[in-house]
Amino acid sequence: MSHHPTPPTRRLLLQGALAVGALGAVPGVASAATPGAAERHPYVNPLVRNRADPHIHRHTDRHYYFTATAPEYDRIVLRRSRTLRGLATAEEAVVWRKHGSGDMGAHIWAPEIHHIDGTWYIYFAAAPSDDVWKIRMWVLENRSRDPFKGTWTEKGRIATAWDTFSLDATTFTHRGSRYLAWAQHEPGMDNNTAVFLSRMANPWTLAGPQVRLTTPEYDWECVGFKVNEGPSVIRRNGRLFMTYSASATDSNYCMGLLTADDRGDLMDPANWTKSSRPVFTSNDSTRQYGPGHNSFTVAEDGRTDVLVYHARQYKEISGDPLHDPNRHTRIQRLGWKPDGTPDFGIPVADGPRG
């Protein structure tokens, strides 16, 4: 979720200008990057309204666990369903709320839920109530088998190499090592955020060092803000693919792609190749704008890859995009090209139920 400090004078102008959204969501069937997939896997979009930065985890219990940013930026929510489509109507529980003051008191953003060594963890970003742009990454832990039960314990802040603006933590394992990928502002760099990678000592502690995998350099990464953020990883066909999102959170928001051979050292930035063009962008023909901050999951068949992301249904936004609550969670089938690379296609249109 591209969340960047707005200049104070601009923020004053935007106070009270919360956009409620001019267009309502129209349910539609999400077709896929390849013909015929819509008939095989008909997903109704938007899947969940007013939920940005979506993360869906398919657990070993064959349930899908969904969390995302709520537009009030004040809580962490969780849904569960046996099917992806069922998440649309699944009961939503609030598993944690922001603090009334001090740390974790503002801007609760981009939660992800992960199950690690028998324990549930939620990674999220938050700021102190008295310094709302001092955004950092935090971790919650729940030792219950059921993340809707038990206690979510605050494990603290993830300490990185610099105490700077940082967010959008995601974690994955590769060849026996656990990694954290995230977005952060590096001191001395002329950007808002770049994407970094580090090994982990445990689910809430980095082992270090941290390396920079990508920084905004192409025009499409620098519209409004110079942003690389929201990393997510999928491993297929002998390679690791890391998506990330770029530019401001309006219709310029889009997704880029990094690729690494899964036999290489992930901590060597030279082993990652960056695509020079975005792989998933706004589309006027389908009226989907600002697609990004994605995650990956798998369909009920256990084989079909599914792209999870948010987008808006309109381009024009009143005031700061961060004050517009109408980024809705969407899903569609993720295709694969003959060369083994992901085929994102275009963000599918909303439309009548098929």
Side-chain angles (χ1 to χ4, degrees), residues 1-2 229 245-254 282 290-293 310:
M1 164 174 229
S2 181
E229 65 179 14
S245 296
S247 289
T249 55
D250 55 17
S251 62
N252 294 295
Y253 206 50
C254 62
S282 292
H293 202 118
H310 72 233

Side-chain angles (χ1 to χ4, degrees), residues 75-87:
R75 65 195 186 278
I76 295 175
V77 299
L78 192 62
R79 298 185 185 200
R80 172 172 54 198
S81 173
R82 285 192 175 273
T83 65
L84 283 167
R85 291 182 66 165
L87 290 170

Side-chain angles (χ1 to χ4, degrees), residues 97-133:
R97 291 187 185 274
K98 73 176 183 178
H99 290 194
S101 61
D103 283 341
M104 294 178 278
H107 280 157
I108 309 305
W109 282 340
E112 288 198 4
I113 185 166
H114 294 267
H115 194 257
I116 302 170
D117 299 331
T119 301
W120 292 97
Y121 293 91
I122 290 177
Y123 297 82
F124 67 103
S129 58
D130 59 352
D131 191 356
V132 300
W133 294 110

Side-chain angles (χ1 to χ4, degrees), residues 42-353:
Y43 301 125
V44 178
N45 276 334
L47 181 70
V48 184
R49 288 176 51 86
N50 304 112
R51 294 291 179 265
D53 314 323
H55 184 257
I56 297 177
H57 164 74
R58 193 184 196 210
H59 192 44
T60 51
D61 64 3
R62 292 185 175 270
H63 283 83
Y64 291 96
Y65 290 82
F66 165 88
T67 188
T69 300
E72 296 81 11
Y73 305 148
D74 63 351
R75 65 195 186 278
I76 295 175
V77 299
L78 192 62
R79 298 185 185 200
R80 172 172 54 198
S81 173
R82 285 192 175 273
T83 65
L84 283 167
R85 291 182 66 165
L87 290 170
T89 53
E91 184 177 354
E92 188 172 271
V94 177
V95 297
W96 184 88
R97 291 187 185 274
K98 73 176 183 178
H99 290 194
S101 61
D103 283 341
M104 294 178 278
H107 280 157
I108 309 305
W109 282 340
E112 288 198 4
I113 185 166
H114 294 267
H115 194 257
I116 302 170
D117 299 331
T119 301
W120 292 97
Y121 293 91
I122 290 177
Y123 297 82
F124 67 103
S129 58
D130 59 352
D131 191 356
V132 300
W133 294 110
K134 190 180 179 182
I135 291 165
R136 304 293 186 267
M137 300 178 293
W138 300 80
V139 185
L140 305 175
E141 179 187 76
N142 188 340
R143 295 187 174 274
S144 172
R145 288 185 62 183
D146 183 348
F148 288 83
K149 300 178 181 177
T151 301
W152 285 97
T153 303
E154 295 168 1
K155 300 298 289 185
R157 182 170 70 87
I158 297 177
T160 61
W162 320 288
D163 184 18
T164 60
F165 187 88
S166 51
L167 69 170
D168 295 352
T170 192
T171 185
F172 64 97
T173 57
H174 182 63
R175 295 189 177 274
S177 293
R178 178 161 294 280
Y179 294 85
L180 192 82
W182 73 97
Q184 184 165 15
H185 175 68
E186 180 177 350
M189 292 288 285
D190 179 28
N191 65 20
N192 294 89
T193 52
V195 172
F196 295 86
L197 185 69
S198 174
R199 285 191 177 91
M200 304 192 80
N202 59 45
W204 59 92
T205 309
L206 301 185
Q210 67 183 57
V211 296
R212 182 189 343 118
L213 298 185
T214 173
T215 188
E217 55 190 311
Y218 297 112
D219 288 348
W220 54 269
E221 299 176 293
C222 301
V223 183
F225 295 103
K226 296 180 179 179
V227 169
N228 284 174
E229 65 179 14
S232 188
V233 171
I234 186 170
R235 181 171 46 241
R236 294 287 183 272
N237 307 321
R239 279 166 282 190
L240 260 73
F241 301 98
M242 181 184 290
T243 51
Y244 64 92
S245 296
S247 289
T249 55
D250 55 17
S251 62
N252 294 295
Y253 206 50
C254 62
M255 281 166 44
L257 183 67
L258 302 170
T259 303
D261 189 305
D262 70 4
R263 295 166 298 180
D265 177 7
L266 301 186
M267 292 296 294
D268 182 353
N271 288 333
W272 292 86
T273 301
K274 178 175 177 174
S275 298
S276 61
R277 300 177 64 85
V279 294
F280 202 56
T281 62
S282 292
N283 191 281
D284 285 321
S285 65
T286 60
R287 298 192 59 77
Q288 300 295 313
Y289 298 102
H293 202 118
N294 80 289
S295 59
F296 298 100
T297 191
V298 66
E300 291 82 354
D301 64 8
R303 299 184 306 272
T304 304
D305 292 308
V306 175
L307 177 66
V308 184
Y309 62 99
H310 72 233
R312 288 189 182 89
Q313 293 157 310
Y314 49 89
K315 184 181 292 188
E316 299 304 322
I317 299 169
S318 300
D320 191 325
L322 286 180
H323 294 169
D324 180 297
N326 292 306
R327 289 180 296 179
H328 305 319
T329 294
R330 293 176 156 77
I331 58 174
Q332 64 192 62
R333 182 180 179 274
L334 178 69
W336 294 93
K337 299 177 182 177
D339 66 359
T341 61
D343 182 2
F344 293 89
I346 63 173
V348 297
D350 297 330
R353 291 176 183 267

Side-chain angles (χ1 to χ4, degrees), residues 31-45:
S31 59
T34 54
E39 289 69 37
R40 293 196 302 272
H41 301 286
Y43 301 125
V44 178
N45 276 334

